[in-house]
Amino acid sequence: MRQTVLESGFKRTISITAEMKHAIAEKNNRGTLALAVSGGGARAAYQVGFLRWLAEHYPDLEIPILTGVSAGAINTAYLANHQGTFGEKVKQLAAVWETLTLDHVFRVDAGSIAGHVARWSARLFMGRASQLMETRSLVDTSERRLRHRHSSGR
């Protein structure tokens, strides 16, 4: 097989054997698989379910590029930092998720809940009270408002 390649502005014809073509395809495909996952606590749990399915069907899968946001970043960081095959890492990650309970994520004791209710109540009250106070932006637009009033005849 002959292939014409444009290299540095010059055309060059090179001969590629079937073995070389296969090696090039393998090299080009290596490192192109990526896993990008979004954030959200519940989504991260759903992601583990998908990863389990993927690991069951492709236990030796290699994903060299891992990225995620928020809770999804926790999953990808776990996969990136643990040793073993893809299947083993996903199995370990799933085991972590299976042990999580609400009290591992949030403080749910009576004192914490009462404190949150008090803070939210204060914010709600202050939000209504803040309407009585004059607020100003970081940019002084008073001159612009005056010009607008004069030009519109108000």
Side-chain angles (χ1 to χ4, degrees), residues 55-94:
E56 182 180 310
H57 290 83
Y58 306 97
D60 296 321
L61 182 66
E62 291 183 24
I63 306 175
I65 303 168
L66 299 166
T67 186
V69 175
S70 191
I74 294 170
N75 285 338
T76 55
Y78 189 96
L79 293 174
N81 288 301
H82 284 80
Q83 298 295 316
T85 65
F86 180 70
E88 293 168 345
K89 292 190 278 190
V90 169
K91 187 176 181 180
Q92 294 167 1
L93 177 61

Side-chain angles (χ1 to χ4, degrees), residues 13-44:
T13 303
I14 57 174
S15 182
I16 301 177
T17 66
E19 285 178 13
M20 289 173 66
K21 189 174 181 181
H22 180 71
I24 290 169
E26 271 190 33
K27 182 179 178 188
N28 287 339
N29 288 333
R30 193 174 305 136
T32 57
L33 185 61
L35 176 66
V37 292
S38 62
R43 282 192 194 115

Side-chain angles (χ1 to χ4, degrees), residues 4-147:
T4 302
V5 178
L6 185 63
E7 186 177 314
S8 302
F10 298 102
K11 281 189 177 180
R12 187 176 91 171
T13 303
I14 57 174
S15 182
I16 301 177
T17 66
E19 285 178 13
M20 289 173 66
K21 189 174 181 181
H22 180 71
I24 290 169
E26 271 190 33
K27 182 179 178 188
N28 287 339
N29 288 333
R30 193 174 305 136
T32 57
L33 185 61
L35 176 66
V37 292
S38 62
R43 282 192 194 115
Y46 305 148
Q47 291 162 6
V48 174
F50 169 74
L51 290 170
R52 279 176 129 170
W53 180 90
L54 200 58
E56 182 180 310
H57 290 83
Y58 306 97
D60 296 321
L61 182 66
E62 291 183 24
I63 306 175
I65 303 168
L66 299 166
T67 186
V69 175
S70 191
I74 294 170
N75 285 338
T76 55
Y78 189 96
L79 293 174
N81 288 301
H82 284 80
Q83 298 295 316
T85 65
F86 180 70
E88 293 168 345
K89 292 190 278 190
V90 169
K91 187 176 181 180
Q92 294 167 1
L93 177 61
V96 169
W97 274 95
E98 288 171 358
T99 62
L100 286 179
T101 58
L102 193 60
D103 60 324
H104 288 126
V105 181
F106 301 106
R107 292 184 61 190
V108 291
D109 57 283
S112 294
I113 292 173
H116 284 294
V117 169
R119 279 191 292 282
W120 277 97
S121 298
R123 287 181 186 167
L124 179 63
F125 174 74
M126 293 303 289
R128 289 185 179 162
S130 68
Q131 293 172 357
L132 302 175
M133 296 184 284
E134 181 185 349
T135 57
R136 288 185 275 169
S137 69
L138 294 174
V139 178
D140 183 12
T141 58
S142 57
E143 186 177 323
R144 180 174 259 164
R145 281 193 311 255
L146 287 174
R147 272 192 263 141

